[in-house]
Amino acid sequence: MWLIALLVPLLPTIFMVSSHYCGKLSILCHQALAWALRLVGGGPCLKSTHVFVFSNCTHGKGDSVLETFDLYAETHQSLCIGPHIGEILDDVVKSVRPLWVLELGMHCGYSSGRLLRLLPHGGRLIAVVSRFLHSSAEAIPTLHSFLESDQGTSDGINLVLMDHDSQQYLLDLLALEREELLCPSGCTVLLNRGTKEPMISEESWITPEEESIPTASKQKSQTGGFANLHLYFAF
Ligand SMILES: *[C@@H]1O[C@H](CO)[C@@H](O)[C@H](O)[C@H]1NC(C)=O
């Protein structure tokens, strides 16, 4: 499972990993070449991050993989969200116990790893790699096929982690709502890496200061019908 979690950034735009069918990996889009070309550009180097983590972690041990990512981030530029935000995300996952998680904006696989290790039996993670322009907007209408593969037992996506282009957050929330993909009692976590102001005003989010232990029953809706918990973290 960890191998998959760590290799996924090397794969094209959308993939799904089940928490127990470790080998199951679905690739929907065929933009690998464009993605690979972008990867060659500057910024933190995914390849060297993964070489470091694979060489130094204890394979098969989720916590060791995360610690090794954190160790790398101490001395190198990194896209990891880090242990502080990571632990808050852990609390959200433990509280919501999501069966379906959507990660919009997967970077180096760190957040995916954090999410995967805490999913309950049968839980699934769908991650959309953020490196293509508009990849989230293109991916959202295709997500039904994943949920339908659950033989109609799914109530929708229970947890959404947005860590892509913050200008896209509101549009993507509305699209998820329009497509009726969200479980009403679910939770959305938005990360702002500080590059651009999100189009959704910060006052509408419950911040960690207000709500250090999030629970899925807290509601604060910005987008009308999207009545689930929104958590916002800037870093
Ligand atoms: C493993 O970690 C050590 C430092 O703890 C580092 O010097 C070494 O380069 C790492 N291995 C790889 C292959 O990156």
Side-chain angles (χ1 to χ4, degrees), residues 48 51-53 55-56 71:
S48 72
V51 167
F52 184 98
V53 173
S55 315
N56 283 304
L71 189 66

Side-chain angles (χ1 to χ4, degrees), residues 1 6 17 23 30 38 43-44 52 55 68 76 85 87 103 106 119 121 123 126 136 146 156 164 173 185 191 203:
M1 180 166 79
L6 292 173
V17 192
H30 305 282
R38 274 168 181 260
F52 184 98
S55 315
T68 314
H76 300 79
I85 300 279
E87 278 161 25
E103 182 183 7
M106 193 185 69
L119 291 192
H121 182 75
I126 304 171
S136 58
F146 289 108
H164 55 310
L173 271 177
S185 61
L191 302 182
E203 302 85 71

Side-chain angles (χ1 to χ4, degrees), residues 181-214:
L181 285 160
L182 299 169
C183 171
S185 61
C187 175
T188 306
V189 176
L190 301 112
L191 302 182
N192 180 21
R193 288 176 181 260
T195 45
K196 292 178 201 159
E197 281 301 304
M199 279 170 63
I200 307 174
S201 68
E202 290 187 25
E203 302 85 71
S204 67
W205 308 113
I206 296 171
T207 62
E209 288 74 34
E210 286 174 70
E211 196 60 54
S212 57
I213 305 168

Side-chain angles (χ1 to χ4, degrees), residues 135-146:
S135 54
S136 58
E138 284 169 17
I140 287 167
T142 71
L143 297 177
H144 283 290
S145 58
F146 289 108

Side-chain angles (χ1 to χ4, degrees), residues 150-207:
D150 216 15
Q151 281 117 31
T153 55
S154 165
D155 299 332
I157 296 164
N158 314 96
L159 176 65
V160 182
L161 172 64
M162 293 200 180
D163 187 15
H164 55 310
D165 176 4
S166 56
Q167 299 284 296
Q168 197 61 32
Y169 287 0
L170 180 57
L171 295 171
D172 287 346
L173 271 177
L174 292 169
L176 287 164
E177 184 185 276
R178 195 167 52 244
E179 296 282 339
E180 298 181 348
L181 285 160
L182 299 169
C183 171
S185 61
C187 175
T188 306
V189 176
L190 301 112
L191 302 182
N192 180 21
R193 288 176 181 260
T195 45
K196 292 178 201 159
E197 281 301 304
M199 279 170 63
I200 307 174
S201 68
E202 290 187 25
E203 302 85 71
S204 67
W205 308 113
I206 296 171
T207 62

